[in-house]
Amino acid sequence: MTAGAVARRLGVAVTTLRTWDQRYGLGPTEHEAGRHRRYSAEDVRRLEMMRRLTFQGVSPADAARTALAARADELTEPSARPAARVPSRRVMPVGLAQAAARGLARAAGSMDSDAIAEEIRTCLRTYGTVLTWTEVLVPVLSALGQRWQAGHSVVEIEHLLSWHISTELRMVVPGPSGPRRSRNNDEPIPALAPPRTLLASVEDEQHTLPLEALAAALREARRGTRILGARVPTDAMVEAVRRTGPAVVVLWSQIPDTADPTVFTRLAALGRPVRMVAAGPGWLASRRRMPSGVALPTTLVEAVEGVLAALGGPTGTGASRDAGRRLSR
Ligand code: B12
């Protein structure tokens, strides 16, 4: 099968398949001269095991190890395991993600606030933060960025959409096992332990949405955060760490102009046992100037798993510990 066909069958993005191939070696094994590599039936069944485990909350690294180690007779026939049987988490079929993204882009384009809010809320309730962010919101935001770069007037759309994304992400509540709800009734919201994670965008950095997604995803995992928002001056950042003593600090930089690694040097100089995380594409150019021990996750999932692992305690799988090791490199 081609990557596109496998992606459709599994309900994941083609880019996800590529990542699983590059990172974990879960790729196509069939070769045909002069053509793209093809997935065999067994490759597909391994990928289905991978997908099942990751949607159950197992980290990609652990899920891939299990899927690669499984004997052929341990892999169930695809037809015997419809997506509907995946417990607690649903898959987000590619078609649905694309339809939701199209709907959201349309609503944003016509500046229809109610429709924007409804589309985002429905996705968050049904699929949770990570899938909604990765499969729906990021594609729409990226497309908007491209239109801006091409000279279209989309700044007003960008602001409206950002507002609604923030609003809906802030409504994501913690729940017993992967909540998919927004705060829309009188149900008591389960209490969380005091936050040990501090999130902020660095000095002069106005972009915050990915951090807000991280905060929502951590809340779903029943971990509270302190989030300082946009443009946090370095002095204030240092003071916040000194005053609140977090176990993890995640600093977002979207654009290279705002990425100054000395903020990490200053935090390290406090001598606190704090896991420092540099998140966002802004840091890429300055990563060699980072003090040692600063983690650089490249995806929301990696950041969530890494924070959960750094916080310790019951994270559900040993996989999160692996992610923590990845983060701590
Ligand atoms: C929304 C938005 C805004 C909003 C932000 C609102 C808010 N509360 O965050 C507002 C309107 C304020 C804004 C302002 C500006 N923006 Co703006 N903005 C965007 C937009 C459309 C989305 C930003 C976003 O959330 N991206 C997050 C995801 C969608 O994108 P990503 O980072 O590329 O995602 C990758 C990785 O980061 C990773 N990832 C995704 N999510 C997560 C989460 C975690 C935790 C991790 C670790 C990784 C990760 O996966 C992705 C694939 O690799 C982008 C377009 C874009 N492509 O991002 C422009 C964009 C980032 N903005 C841009 C610019 C230029 C600006 C302004 C300078 C414009 C201006 N002249 O005023 C100002 C900001 C200045 C500043 N100093 O901060 C440029 C940056 C170009 C560059 N590389 O330097 C972009 C790329 C648009 C473009 N195509 O040119 N912006």
Side-chain angles (χ1 to χ4, degrees):
M1 289 173 83
T2 62
V6 176
R8 275 193 297 280
R9 182 174 191 141
L10 265 64
V12 301
V14 174
T15 47
T16 305
L17 287 184
R18 274 195 215 114
T19 306
W20 289 353
D21 183 9
Q22 286 159 4
R23 245 185 229 174
Y24 310 117
L26 264 173
T29 54
E30 289 196 348
H31 293 265
E32 277 179 57
R35 302 186 60 177
H36 288 301
R37 290 191 300 155
R38 298 291 167 130
Y39 289 86
S40 69
E42 188 175 315
D43 296 338
V44 175
R45 289 204 293 275
R46 282 190 201 284
L47 286 167
E48 289 192 325
M49 179 178 262
M50 170 78 179
R51 184 200 59 174
R52 186 175 72 246
L53 291 171
T54 53
F55 281 115
Q56 284 170 348
V58 177
S59 86
D62 269 6
R65 237 190 319 275
T66 308
L68 283 168
R71 291 191 317 269
D73 61 326
E74 292 169 333
L75 301 163
T76 48
E77 286 301 316
S79 56
R81 196 186 41 65
R85 285 175 49 199
V86 174
S88 81
R89 293 194 183 209
R90 297 189 200 171
V91 296
M92 186 171 210
V94 174
L96 194 144
Q98 285 168 346
R102 270 198 306 274
L104 180 58
R106 226 182 356 257
S110 50
M111 298 193 70
D112 182 342
S113 292
D114 287 347
I116 296 172
E118 183 58 33
E119 192 72 65
I120 300 171
R121 199 173 306 147
T122 303
C123 282
L124 283 170
R125 279 185 193 160
T126 316
Y127 297 106
T129 301
V130 170
L131 283 177
T132 300
W133 174 253
T134 311
E135 305 288 335
V136 179
L137 300 177
V138 170
V140 174
L141 287 166
S142 302
L144 206 52
Q146 279 161 15
R147 285 181 60 78
W148 181 81
Q149 211 163 18
H152 296 277
S153 95
V154 291
V155 175
E156 64 288 358
I157 297 173
E158 199 174 325
H159 278 261
L160 183 69
L161 180 61
S162 298
W163 176 268
H164 284 292
I165 293 176
S166 291
T167 304
E168 298 307 324
L169 287 172
R170 284 171 201 192
M171 304 279 263
V172 170
V173 295
S177 56
R180 298 288 177 262
R181 292 173 294 124
S182 293
R183 188 183 315 186
N184 61 351
N185 55 31
D186 295 332
E187 281 176 47
I189 294 165
L192 294 180
R196 295 170 60 221
T197 305
L198 190 60
L199 310 179
S201 286
V202 293
E203 191 150 339
D204 293 330
E205 178 58 69
Q206 289 181 34
H207 300 93
T208 56
L209 295 178
L211 272 189
E212 295 175 51
L214 176 58
L218 288 171
R219 215 175 313 123
E220 282 183 346
R222 302 186 53 76
R223 302 296 183 147
T225 59
R226 277 192 183 87
I227 178 157
L228 305 185
R231 310 173 75 169
V232 179
T234 298
D235 286 348
M237 200 59 231
V238 173
E239 192 55 18
V241 170
R242 206 186 56 72
R243 289 185 58 184
T244 65
V248 191
V249 174
V250 184
L251 297 184
W252 183 264
S253 166
Q254 181 79 38
I255 56 180
D257 285 358
T258 66
D260 179 359
T262 55
V263 63
F264 290 108
T265 316
R266 290 199 45 199
L267 293 180
L270 288 173
R272 301 285 183 101
V274 57
R275 173 74 45 84
M276 295 186 289
V277 181
W283 296 112
L284 289 179
S286 54
R287 56 194 307 160
R288 283 202 206 86
R289 291 187 285 125
M290 289 286 177
S292 65
V294 177
L296 286 133
T298 55
T299 64
L300 176 58
V301 169
E302 219 180 297
V304 173
E305 289 180 349
V307 171
L308 290 178
L311 292 174
T315 54
T317 65
S320 301
R321 283 191 296 280
D322 285 346
R325 281 199 285 276
R326 277 208 303 279
L327 263 187
S328 66
R329 278 205 294 270

